[in-house]
Structures are given as structure tokens and as C-alpha cells.
Amino acid sequence: MIATEIKKLSPDASLAADRAVLADAADLLLAGELVAFPTETVYGLGALASNSGAIARLYQTKGRPAFNPLIAHISDAEAAFRLGKPTQLAETLAAAFWPGPLTLVLEKKPDCPVSQLATAGLDSIALRVPANPLARQLLAQLGAPIVAPSANPSGQLSPSTADHVAAGLGGEVRLILDGGPCEKGLESTIIDARSDRPVILRPGPVTAEMLTALGQPSSPGQPSSPGQPISPGQLASHYAPQKPLRLNAITAQQGEWLIGFGRLAPACDVTLSESGDLTEAAARLFDLLHAADAADCQRIAIAPIPEDGLGAAINDRLRRAASPKA
Ligand code: TXA
Ligand code: MG
């Protein structure tokens, strides 16, 4: 056990006190410590990308299998393309969606300084330029890539608040930077951008519809076959609450805590969005699943969510959350 400090910052880190905290956080990362920080998607558990010792501890802290590679976070596309080989598609997607909730998988450059442990020995690398001002200032302070998985014990729900991080990893990390609830609340969209058509490895806030609108429709079909995930986030059971979860519920059965959506499941305990807004629902999803785990109930039920737009990413997480644990 180590003492975990939670430091609250203003959302845009504009105060001198915020800058001092971020400078301390960068020093901790340089010294090989783990620091949890907010992004616009979910909270990340950061380590200096070139420090194999810190990364080994990161895997251990999360209980994450070492074959599951990490995303490298950098401050801009130029920094990204120093680590991964850009394609025309990658440049187009980066120009449209970075900084933002998009991760690009590219061929790793031979001189890439990111630890082999973080890329699980693959010849590819996952890269993301986050938009959250605290994440951006931390990267600027550090001047080096940060590898960061979601800041939760492996297989459990992702954290969309600093409290979620503390509940899952308190006593394991030195510092949690608290920037308030995450704006998007769902992990980034992961796209394999190594060819000329985007392949969505993990649906997220950058939707298939947004790719089509950009003139870059994604390749159809599942990129991975069952049992052979390209992106281990595609493993069937992932992002799971502690309690059993029933999908497409209209009414609560005995012992269930019902999470509603719009006019579907009106007699619910809580709702993802009263007006049926998918953006609001995505932002609240993990928070309500965490709340359901903590509530006085045996099981969780959730209303049907439409499959269009962000609904695809929400339903992807829900199917994994409901699938039996391995
Ligand atoms: O929004 C996010 O992406 C958050 C924030 C913190 O940036 N991070 C996140 O990391 O969700 P994590 O580790 O929970 O999920 C990263 C996913 C994993 O499913 C991993 O298998 C996949 O990215 N991944 C990493 N490198 C890859 C690669 N080279 N090829 C395919 N998938 C990769
Ligand atoms: Mg994760």
C-alpha cells in the first residue's frame, strides 16, 4: 500500500496552483511513478512511455495481462507520427479528430522510444492526442509520451470520475489528478489506419457515421474472429460491473436496479438520459454502472439503447459488461 494523493484542479488548469501540481505530476512520471489523470474519455493510469520498469508496475497494478498493449498519448499529430508511420488515411483522420477521442493504430517506427512492454512486442502502436486541457498540459510539461490504459483494475468498469479511480486503485498509485467528470465518458474509438480504409477495432465517440461524413467509410465486417482479438478491448467480457447485468429491460424484475433511457423503461431507478440523448447517456454510463454496483440491489437491468451513432459504442460496452466473466 502507498499513500494516494488526490489533487483537485480547475478544469482548464489555469491557476498557478494547478501548474505547480502538474509540474509535480510530470516529475513523478519522470521518476518512474504512476499518475492517474483525466482525459475527455475516461481517466487514464499514466506511466512514462520509455520507462519499462514503470510500465511493468502499471500492468501489475491493473492486473492486466502483458499481451494487452497500451495506448501512447502525445501532444500533437507531429509527435504521433514520430512514433508511428503515418498513412494518408491517418493524416486525414488526425486532421479531422485530433485532439480528441480517437486512437490510431499504425506501424511502429523502428526508432520508436516507447517500451516494447507497452506495445506488447507488436510491430504496431496505438496513438492518441487527447483534448482534455489537464491531459494536454501534463503532456506539455513532461515533453514525452505517456502510456495510459483506463485507470481501473483490469476487466472492471472504466473510471469517469476521480472517485472511481480512487475506489479501484487507491493505495496503488501515488497521485490522482482530479479534473471532474469526463466529458465523453466512453473510451476512445480505436481505428486501424494502416491501410486506405479505416477499420474500427473499438467503437467510441468518433462514430461510423462521422467517418462516412468525412468521406472515409469504415470497412465492413468484424476485424477479428472470436478468440483472436486484434484489440484485446474486444474480449467478450470487459468493462464489467460486479453484479449481473440484464440488457434491453423495460421493467425491473425483483432485486434489480433499473437504469432507464428516454421513454424506454419509464419506471426506472435512474436514467441515462431522460430526453433520450445518446451523448448524455454515454457520459453517464460508467457512473451509473458504478452507482448500480454500490446500490442496495442484487442485479442490474438496463433499458434498450438505439444502435445509431454513439449508441453503437454504448451497446458494445453493455454487451461486454453483460457477458459472463471468463
Ligand atoms: O479513451 C481511451 O482510449 C482511454 C484513455 C485513458 O486514453 N484509454 C483506454 O486504454 O481505454 P485501455 O488500455 O483501457 O484500452 C486500450 C485498448 C486495448 O483494448 C488494447 O488492446 C488496444 O487499445 N490496443 C493498444 N495497442 C494496440 C495495437 N497496437 N493494436 C490494436 N489494439 C491496440
Ligand atoms: Mg480499459
Side-chain angles (χ1 to χ4, degrees), residues 42 62 64 149-152 156 158 187 202 238-239:
V42 297
K62 263 188 75 92
R64 181 175 175 117
S150 50
N152 54 284
Q156 295 186 17
S158 290
E187 302 89 345
R202 178 175 72 183
H238 213 81
Y239 317 106

Side-chain angles (χ1 to χ4, degrees), residues 37 39 41-45 62 64 67-71 73 101 103 105-106 118-119 122-126 128 130 148-152 158 186-190 194 201-202 230-234 238-239:
F37 64 97
T39 81
T41 57
V42 297
Y43 275 73
L45 179 61
K62 263 188 75 92
R64 181 175 175 117
F67 61 76
N68 191 353
L70 307 175
I71 297 172
H73 298 68
T103 296
V105 172
L106 294 175
T119 53
L122 298 174
D123 55 11
S124 61
I125 184 163
R128 173 156 119 79
S150 50
N152 54 284
S158 290
L186 275 188
E187 302 89 345
S188 63
T189 305
I190 303 181
R194 286 174 289 182
L201 300 180
R202 178 175 72 183
I230 292 176
S231 191
Q234 297 173 322
H238 213 81
Y239 317 106

Side-chain angles (χ1 to χ4, degrees), residues 154-201:
S154 191
Q156 295 186 17
L157 291 171
S158 290
S160 58
T161 66
D163 285 349
H164 297 162
V165 181
L169 297 175
E172 310 275 354
V173 296
R174 275 287 295 276
L175 178 63
I176 301 172
L177 299 176
D178 182 355
C182 300
E183 183 199 338
K184 306 285 182 196
L186 275 188
E187 302 89 345
S188 63
T189 305
I190 303 181
I191 291 180
D192 186 340
R194 286 174 289 182
S195 67
D196 55 0
R197 285 241 2 217
V199 177
I200 299 178
L201 300 180

